Amino acid sequence: MVIDPVARSTDGESVRIARDVLCAGAGGSGAKICLPEGPEEFARALARRGQRRPVVIGDDRALLRVVGLLHKERELAGVPVSMVPVGAPAAVALSRSLGVPQDTVAAARTVLDGAERAMDLLTDDSGGIVLGGLRIPCGRDGGPNGGRRTAGPGHRVFVPGAAGPVDAGEHTERAEGAEGVGSAGADGASAGVPGADGHRPWWGPAARTARTALALLAPAAGFWGASRTEAGAAGGRRVRVPGQRLRIEADGVLLADLDRPVRGVSVVPGGQAGAGWPGTGTGRGAGAGDGQGDGRDGGGELAEVVVHWPGGGHPVRARARAVTVSGADFHYRADAVVGGPVRTRTWTVQPGAWRLQLPRRE
């Protein structure tokens, strides 16, 4: 039992409950508890597990660390992985999409009484792995908040013309400042800037309210654009992700070339298609995302690739064993990790490459 240090510091009570349930259920066989303080200790604890089945208590990053280490040691196919998710909802989104129960007690009981399921994954040409799916552009900075959509300090968004992602608050201030300069009337006062006498124009609050209402009534910008929260943070003005010129090939078939910008690309392993990754256009059916879904088996053998165009054009969809993306330096988000910049990367589906402990089917 490997308890991630982040889980211990963020939700010690859930960690205690999981540990007690697992130790009680282990009975005479006993359970070895490891409390690593860093990546090196984490790797040593996993390497010294002997014949014990690894159980990770933590968030998605802890799960990715365990699977990555087992993959590096070429032991992933023969070692089933169990998990008790502990963390904020955004930090355990991957485990939820894979079908792991989010309740601490239910997840711990699944470790004891569940069933192993073969799961697909993606491997890239640099040795990386993807369990749930990847997308380009990454869309978030992958900071410690786990990619949550927030408009507070530290949240970064993509702004056309900027060299890279900028802080949402900074962008808001710049946008409001530019609006104040551009919309100043003869009296030198803008809709949101006090006049020379320090008095704010009466129409300022009404204008802000109207912009907010329009942002809420307009269709959501979608996964590849700004969320409604981000639009509100920017005074109702949408922050759109600029198109990228990428060459995308699926099993050698050209889906997009450098002469036409793309708005975004998503690649999802066949067994996980539609599992919480926007833009795939498929779903898991009842129970999607609640940890009580259908517990998909791997073996899809093909990944689902979706290419989105600027302006909302009809996306291009394909299924392939290998996907290659090339172009100017680009970043990508693989599960909870942001990778890049790279100029080319190939992802290949590995059917049934790992096993995850999930609730038994009724």
Side-chain angles (χ1 to χ4, degrees), residues 13-362:
E13 180 63 16
S14 294
V15 170
R16 183 192 64 78
I17 293 173
R19 182 188 59 201
D20 291 348
V21 173
L22 292 173
C23 288
S29 60
K32 181 178 180 180
I33 301 175
C34 301
L35 305 173
E37 293 297 337
E40 294 79 9
E41 293 185 16
F42 198 103
R44 283 197 297 269
L46 191 63
R48 297 173 181 173
R49 69 184 183 281
Q51 299 300 317
R52 297 182 178 88
R53 177 161 49 101
V55 179
V56 57
I57 300 178
D59 58 13
D60 292 342
R61 291 178 181 270
L63 173 63
L64 291 169
R65 187 176 297 117
V66 169
V67 176
L69 289 170
L70 292 174
H71 173 71
K72 182 179 179 180
E73 298 299 326
R74 302 183 183 276
E75 298 180 349
L76 183 57
V79 180
V81 178
S82 302
M83 180 185 186
V84 178
V86 175
V92 294
L94 171 61
S95 64
R96 180 171 60 249
S97 72
L98 294 175
V100 179
Q102 299 301 286
D103 178 74
T104 302
V105 175
R109 288 176 177 170
T110 297
V111 172
L112 300 171
D113 306 322
E116 299 174 11
R117 307 279 171 78
M119 309 291 285
D120 300 345
L121 57 76
L122 300 173
T123 58
D124 64 39
D125 44 17
S126 69
I129 61 171
V130 184
L131 304 184
L134 67 93
R135 61 183 184 261
I136 306 170
C138 56
R140 303 291 183 270
D141 65 344
N145 65 351
R148 293 192 299 269
R149 286 185 174 182
T150 60
H155 178 61
R156 302 175 72 79
V157 296
F158 283 88
V159 180
V166 300
D167 185 82
E170 178 183 355
H171 169 68
T172 302
E173 293 173 0
R174 291 178 179 177
E176 291 178 349
E179 180 186 9
V181 173
S183 61
D187 59 355
S190 66
V193 180
D197 58 356
H199 176 69
R200 291 182 179 272
W202 62 268
W203 62 84
R208 288 193 296 271
T209 301
R211 286 197 300 267
T212 303
L214 288 174
L216 293 175
L217 291 174
F223 182 71
W224 305 110
S227 66
R228 286 176 176 174
T229 303
E230 292 166 353
R237 293 171 296 280
R238 291 187 181 180
V239 181
R240 293 188 180 276
V241 177
Q244 288 186 275
R245 296 186 180 274
L246 300 172
R247 180 182 176 89
I248 304 166
E249 300 174 82
D251 284 345
V253 177
L254 187 64
L255 303 182
D257 210 342
L258 301 175
D259 58 349
R260 183 181 180 185
V262 300
R263 184 163 59 115
V265 185
S266 65
V267 183
V268 183
Q272 283 74 262
W277 288 88
T280 58
T282 60
R284 291 174 50 194
D290 59 3
Q292 305 296 328
D294 54 12
R296 305 164 311 284
D297 284 325
E301 297 187 358
L302 299 177
E304 181 173 353
V305 188
V306 184
V307 180
H308 295 264
W309 308 105
H314 189 70
V316 175
R317 303 174 185 273
R319 298 183 68 84
R321 178 69 183 272
V323 180
T324 300
V325 180
S326 307
D329 292 348
F330 63 90
H331 292 79
Y332 59 90
R333 188 178 187 93
D335 296 324
V337 180
V338 174
V342 295
R343 293 191 174 183
T344 183
R345 183 122 295 172
T346 297
W347 290 272
T348 305
V349 180
Q350 305 296 337
W354 67 298
R355 290 179 290 161
L356 179 64
Q357 190 86 346
L358 293 175
R360 294 182 180 275
R361 291 172 175 165
E362 297 180 358

